[in-house]
Amino acid sequence: DVKVTQSSRYLVKRTGEKVFLECVQDMDHENMFWYRQDPGLGLRLIYFSYDVKMKEKGDIPEGYSVSREKKERFSLILESASTNQTSMYLCASSPSDRGNYGYTFGSGTRLTVV
Amino acid sequence: TQLLEQSPQFLSIQEGENLTVYCNSSSVFSSLQWYRQEPGEGPVLLVTVVTGGEVKKLKRLTFQFGDARKDSSLHITAAQPGDTGLYLCAGEGGNQFYFGTGTSLTVIP
């Protein structure tokens, strides 16, 4: 069964910590995405990548960075965690023809920054 | 950012009832997708519609893409408790999909 795996389901971090969220897909997809999901705001795109070592800013990149050293792995980094980054983080992947096949999402990481 | 507004935001109905949820935008999309998300999980793709006016059926679910490709609807016939979840529409524009804020559906047995 093909899937997107996020390394942690729940995380609690302290303000100012550097946080790494890992995402791995086993479908050989070209595209990978990081979203955050907040009540009333829906899914907002943080960063995306169409190829290894390539990254593009989404709608809300401030306070985040990403790394894609291998095709199957896309990491989201919170350089200095803040309480307003408490959220559900969703990783997704898609083939280059995303219009037909859509996104495959991971189960999410619920991050709490205290 | 291209906005997709979904209505209603919350919906609670009895098992066996019919319902329709809406996804509206002022932007034109090359394709539109519907996802369902269950608590504690990521969204799962239900359907993709591409052509204006297109209608697709998935068992008791009927999806329609507006003629101008700016809006879409999801109709569920004889809702079941297993239909409970957050329904998200997503429109393809440029190099990404833009997601609506979702409709949270609860079907009461």
Side-chain angles (χ1 to χ4, degrees), chain A:
Chain A
D1 193 19
V2 293
K3 60 183 179 181
V4 175
T5 302
Q6 294 184 229
S7 54
S8 304
R9 294 295 296 266
Y10 300 93
L11 275 178
V12 180
K13 296 292 182 180
R14 294 194 180 277
T15 301
E17 279 193 76
K18 190 169 186 176
V19 181
F20 294 86
L21 302 183
E22 306 288 345
C23 175
V24 178
Q25 52 99 357
D26 64 1
M27 296 164 283
D28 200 34
H29 283 170
E30 289 80 12
N31 307 328
M32 297 190 75
F33 307 83
W34 274 106
Y35 287 87
R36 63 177 284 176
Q37 184 175 28
D38 301 287
L41 297 177
L43 273 71
R44 293 180 292 167
L45 182 63
I46 305 171
Y47 268 96
F48 59 100
S49 170
Y50 289 154
D51 201 353
V52 176
K53 296 192 185 292
M54 173 272 177
K55 60 186 178 184
E56 294 280 349
K57 293 180 180 179
D59 298 319
I60 52 164
E62 295 78 21
Y64 304 94
S65 63
V66 290
S67 172
R68 193 170 182 195
E69 296 296 319
K70 294 184 178 181
K71 188 176 185 179
E72 67 271 19
R73 186 180 298 269
F74 192 35
S75 302
L76 180 69
I77 304 155
L78 285 66
E79 298 291 343
S80 177
S82 63
T83 55
N84 63 13
Q85 292 179 309
T86 291
S87 185
M88 169 70 90
Y89 289 88
L90 290 165
C91 175
S93 72
S94 76
S96 54
D97 185 14
R98 62 185 178 276
N100 283 322
Y101 297 99
Y103 290 1
T104 301
F105 282 89
S107 297
T109 296
R110 185 164 293 281
L111 172 67
T112 302
V113 182
V114 298

Side-chain angles (χ1 to χ4, degrees), chain B residues 32 37 41-42 48 64 68 93 102:
Chain B
L32 191 139
Q37 183 179 18
E41 298 296 329
T48 300
Q64 182 163 8

